[in-house]
């Protein structure tokens, strides 16, 4: 039987029967007047190609090899941008004399509850709102050279991108809305921004120097991000108020801010949860000079404590947390020279049913695990404290973690973190804590911006756990390199703690475990310690 392939009609004919469309129409941006020489502004031509594809009912807007200098590109429904090998979309620099440049930020009555970057989308290199069936694909590059990282001191010099001040590195951050991030019309601060869209795929391309956000997605459902490489000067991927999201096989170097960040802000004008989200098989780091992840040289920053690089580069759930986080899985990821995992609810959100497993970490600059239930209460009508419950963390290894902090898990008085399970973890800290450090009673700081350094040096080198209800630690092993005069674990206001096969390196005459106001406590199968069950402990140590 003869098989016929008819490309012109876009149909696959087998045995005389039409099986399926072969391909959609292709719209080459050069056909619509794009030059691609890196000097000519191609914005109009690119948007014409997108409009033509949309008017035709859908299609692929193709970028052949070349450098396409552009300002705001307007996505449409039922189209894909395809960046070929050798194709670069280059973010233009805002004219210093004013006028032109990027689309102005839209009016948003809810931006009083969010920083400027989170609550505006149109002032971006590529943006789309209220769309469906949208893709950005291909092995090419998006280079946000002319984008701002957000700072009022640089509103007229958008691309100077100085690193943050020293005060921002230890949790002493200002409350939002933050005028530091506010930008005037004509300046762009995001590579890709999406609002209220569904059926979106981002795959295979790279982003260099992405601005305040390389990718900001707010209210995006059925969202796939796969095989992206992002080497940037602030946030990598921000997923805000989104549902059914899959982030896989992505590599992000973001020394000055978070790599992959889940949020549930009030930017849409109502609390909407981020839910049914998976992050898998990703690499995050804050340890390489910008651009060296993409070019394969992986150049470390010179020095550690002396140069004030944030080395943030982590996976975080929060800080913006009005709508909640539900059904979250983070698995099979690698952290290198960056912050650790962070789970935060401080604006009234319910965070529940979170699973984190199979994580390898090294050179962590703050806490390998940071879980914070606070009461910043940023949102309408002063929202009450939220909830964090049913969190499972397992199969994690970490080496050379910061000596000051250990892992920090802290609710607030009257609002404990609930049902926390930590299993099969092995953490090696730098060590070096003193007896003075061991006597510290960390402040509560209920309304402060959440950050691992918010409490200062911790009295435990391994885990500091406060205001928790039902905690299980099973096959947990913590140790250090330099001598430690602090205990491995401190529990404060914990109800229902079960320790099984927990072991820790410790210096002679330094306790393994310190308890303050702990009830329903069980200790068993812990090397060097006698099995213990205690109904209530006001203060004790083992």
């Amino acid at each position: 039987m003869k098989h016929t392939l008819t490309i012109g009609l876009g149909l696959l004919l087998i045995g005389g029967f039409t099986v399926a469309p072969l391909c959609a129409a292709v719209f080459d941006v050069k056909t619509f007047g794009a030059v691609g020489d890196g000097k000519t502004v191609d914005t109009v031509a690119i948007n014409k190609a997108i409009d033509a594809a949309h008017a035709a009912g859908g299609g692929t807007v193709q970028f052949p090899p070349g450098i396409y200098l552009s300002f705001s590109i307007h996505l449409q429904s039922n189209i894909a941008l395809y960046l070929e090998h050798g194709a670069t979309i280059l973010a233009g620099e805002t004219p210093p004399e004013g006028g032109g440049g990027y689309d102005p930020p839209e009016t948003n009555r809810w931006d009083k509850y969010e920083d400027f970057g989170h609550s505006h989308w149109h002032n971006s290199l590529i943006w789309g709102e209220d769309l469906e069936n949208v893709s950005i694909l291909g092995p090419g590059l998006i280079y946000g050279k002319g984008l701002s990282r957000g700072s009022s001191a640089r509103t007229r010099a958008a691309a100077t991108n100085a690193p943050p001040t020293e005060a921002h590195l230890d949790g002493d951050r200002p409350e939002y809305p933050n005028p530091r991030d506010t930008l005037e019309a004509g300046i762009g601060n995001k590579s890709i921004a999406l609002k209220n869209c569904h059926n979106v795929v981002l795959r295979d391309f790279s982003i260099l120097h992405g601005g305040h956000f390389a990718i900001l997605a707010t209210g995006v459902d059925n969202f796939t991000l796969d095989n992206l490489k992002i080497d940037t000067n602030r946030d990598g991927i921000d997923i805000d108020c989104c549902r059914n999201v899959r982030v896989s096989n992505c590599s992000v170097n973001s020394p000055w801010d978070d790599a992959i960040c889940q949020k549930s802000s009030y930017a849409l004008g109502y609390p909407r949860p981020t839910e049914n989200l998976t992050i898998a098989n990703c690499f995050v780091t804050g340890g390489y000079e910008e651009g060296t992840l993409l070019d394969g040289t992986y150049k470390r920053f010179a020095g550690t404590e002396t140069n004030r690089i944030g080395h943030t580069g982590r996976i975080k759930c929060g800080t913006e947390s009005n709508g909640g986080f539900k059904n979250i899985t983070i698995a099979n990821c690698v952290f290198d020279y960056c912050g650790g995992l962070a789970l935060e609810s401080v604006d009234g959100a319910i965070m529940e049913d979170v699973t984190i497993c199979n994580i390898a970490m090294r050179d962590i600059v703050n806490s390998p695990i940071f879980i914070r239930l606070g009461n910043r209460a940023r949102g309408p009508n002063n929202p009450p404290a939220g909830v964090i419950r049913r969190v499972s963390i397992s199969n994690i290894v970490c080496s050379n973690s910061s000596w000051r902090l250990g892992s920090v898990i802290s609710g607030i008085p009257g609002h404990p973190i609930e049902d926390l399970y930590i299993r099969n973890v092995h953490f090696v800290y730098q060590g070096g804590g003193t007896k003075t450090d061991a006597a510290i009673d960390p402040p509560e700081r209920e309304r402060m911006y959440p950050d691992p350094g918010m409490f200062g040096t911790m009295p435990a080198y391994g885990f500091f756990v406060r205001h928790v209800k039902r905690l299980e630690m099973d096959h947990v092993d913590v140790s250090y390199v330099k001598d430690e005069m602090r205990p491995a674990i401190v529990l404060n206001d914990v109800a229902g703690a079960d320790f099984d096969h927990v072991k820790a390196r410790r210096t002679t005459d330094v306790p393994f475990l310190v308890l303050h106001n702990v009830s329903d406590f069980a200790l068993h199968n812990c090397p060097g310690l006698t099995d213990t069950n205690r109904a209530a402990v006001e203060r004790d140590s083992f």
Side-chain angles (χ1 to χ4, degrees):
M1 180 180 295
K2 186 176 181 181
H3 302 279
T4 304
L5 186 67
T6 306
I7 296 177
L9 296 177
L11 302 176
L12 181 64
L13 303 178
I14 300 179
F17 296 98
T18 301
V19 176
L22 178 65
C23 59
V26 175
F27 299 80
D28 189 321
V29 293
K30 289 193 172 181
T31 302
F32 292 84
V35 178
D37 63 358
K39 300 178 181 178
T40 305
V41 177
D42 288 325
T43 311
V44 173
I46 293 169
N47 284 323
K48 281 183 178 179
I50 292 172
D51 290 344
H54 177 67
T60 298
V61 176
Q62 188 170 22
F63 290 78
I67 301 174
Y68 300 89
L69 180 64
S70 186
F71 294 102
S72 293
I73 296 170
H74 306 149
L75 296 172
Q76 299 272 18
S77 294
N78 302 310
I79 67 106
L81 305 186
Y82 188 84
L83 282 65
E84 293 187 14
H85 277 294
T88 297
I89 298 176
L90 174 64
E93 298 188 33
T94 303
E97 66 276 6
Y102 297 88
D103 292 349
E106 68 274 41
T107 300
N108 185 353
R109 60 179 292 200
W110 308 108
D111 63 1
K112 60 186 175 181
Y113 300 119
E114 305 301 333
D115 73 341
F116 181 87
H118 288 101
S119 53
H120 301 88
W121 296 266
H122 294 186
N123 56 331
S124 303
L125 175 59
I126 301 171
W127 68 266
E129 182 174 357
D130 298 323
L131 306 179
E132 61 181 0
N133 307 325
V134 178
S135 301
I136 303 176
L137 310 169
L141 174 68
I142 295 170
Y143 179 16
K145 181 180 179 181
L147 298 175
S148 170
R149 71 183 311 278
S151 174
S152 60
R154 293 184 290 277
T155 53
R156 298 314 303 161
T160 57
N161 298 299
T165 64
E166 181 171 335
H168 290 90
L169 300 177
D170 295 315
D172 186 20
R173 303 188 183 200
E175 286 297 309
Y176 290 117
N178 180 7
R180 183 176 64 89
D181 288 323
T182 302
L183 301 174
E184 52 195 87
I187 296 175
N189 68 343
K190 292 169 284 287
S191 295
I192 300 171
L194 300 165
K195 179 184 179 184
N196 290 334
C197 300
H198 63 274
N199 301 344
V200 176
V201 177
L202 307 180
R203 178 175 285 135
D204 294 338
F205 59 88
S206 300
I207 297 177
L208 173 64
H209 200 73
H212 191 160
F213 301 92
I215 298 170
L216 173 64
T218 309
V220 177
D221 298 341
N222 300 341
F223 187 25
T224 299
L225 305 95
D226 182 56
N227 194 34
L228 303 180
K229 290 175 284 295
I230 299 174
D231 203 341
T232 191
N233 54 324
R234 201 164 172 188
D235 273 29
I237 300 169
D238 273 45
I239 299 163
D240 188 7
C241 304
C242 299
R243 297 180 299 196
N244 192 22
V245 181
R246 302 292 175 266
V247 183
S248 58
N249 309 310
C250 294
S251 298
V252 184
N253 178 44
S254 55
W256 293 283
D257 221 319
D258 297 312
I260 303 174
C261 192
Q262 307 144 76
K263 300 180 182 294
S264 60
S265 74
Y266 209 83
L268 295 175
Y270 64 98
R272 189 179 199 262
T274 288
E275 58 186 330
N276 302 332
L277 179 145
T278 300
I279 299 171
N281 306 328
C282 292
F283 169 62
V284 294
T285 180
Y288 299 107
E289 292 189 6
E290 187 186 26
T292 65
L293 182 146
L294 291 184
D295 69 17
T297 60
Y298 300 102
K299 186 177 180 181
R300 290 281 202 187
F301 287 100
T304 53
E305 297 297 328
T306 55
N307 82 17
R308 302 305 295 176
I309 304 301
H311 300 303
T312 311
R314 60 184 171 177
I315 296 176
K316 181 176 79 168
C317 193
T319 298
E320 286 67 28
S321 47
N322 299 95
F325 305 89
K326 302 178 180 181
N327 287 0
I328 308 293
T329 293
I330 301 169
N332 303 334
C333 292
V334 173
F335 290 57
D336 181 30
Y337 202 5
C338 60
L341 287 160
L343 303 178
E344 304 166 354
S345 173
V346 295
D347 299 318
I350 295 176
M351 179 185 296
E352 61 185 7
D353 304 320
V354 177
T355 299
I356 299 167
C357 65
N358 301 342
I359 307 294
M361 298 181 177
R362 66 177 178 183
D363 300 335
I364 297 302
V365 300
N366 46 43
S367 295
I369 298 173
F370 177 68
I371 305 176
R372 174 60 169 169
L373 174 60
N375 191 25
R376 181 179 66 168
R378 192 179 71 184
N381 304 315
N382 192 32
V387 175
I388 297 178
R389 62 192 175 203
R390 296 192 298 276
V391 176
S392 176
I393 299 172
S394 63
N395 299 335
I396 302 180
V397 295
C398 176
S399 64
N400 194 36
S401 186
S402 169
W403 74 272
R404 292 182 57 235
L405 304 180
S407 289
V408 179
I409 299 164
S410 183
I412 55 178
H415 297 276
I417 296 166
E418 303 176 45
D419 301 313
L420 174 61
Y421 307 94
I422 301 174
R423 302 184 178 99
N424 299 324
V425 302
H426 185 187
F427 293 167
V428 180
Y429 297 94
Q430 293 169 351
T434 67
K435 288 184 177 180
T436 301
D437 298 329
I440 290 172
D441 183 13
E444 293 286 353
R445 294 181 173 170
E446 296 183 25
R447 303 187 74 86
M448 188 175 178
Y449 183 100
D451 190 90
M454 66 185 294
F455 304 115
T457 300
M458 304 307 291
Y461 80 81
F463 283 88
F464 177 79
V465 183
R466 180 170 61 181
H467 309 310
V468 172
K469 185 177 181 180
R470 291 183 297 275
L471 166 70
E472 289 189 13
M473 300 184 76
D474 180 9
H475 285 86
V476 171
D477 185 350
V478 293
S479 61
Y480 50 80
V481 177
K482 297 179 182 177
D483 287 344
E484 263 293 350
M485 302 307 294
R486 295 174 294 177
I489 301 171
V490 171
L491 304 186
N492 189 337
D493 185 26
V494 175
D498 188 292
F499 282 30
D500 185 16
H501 287 93
V502 177
K503 60 181 179 178
R505 184 178 180 186
R506 56 176 171 152
T507 305
T508 303
D509 298 328
V510 174
F512 159 74
L513 175 65
V514 173
L515 308 181
H516 303 281
N517 189 24
V518 174
S519 61
D520 190 18
F521 173 75
L523 181 77
H524 39 99
N525 301 315
C526 297
L529 299 176
T530 302
D531 288 4
T532 303
N533 287 276
R534 302 282 292 275
V537 181
E538 183 176 347
R539 185 177 183 89
D540 204 348
S541 61
F542 299 89

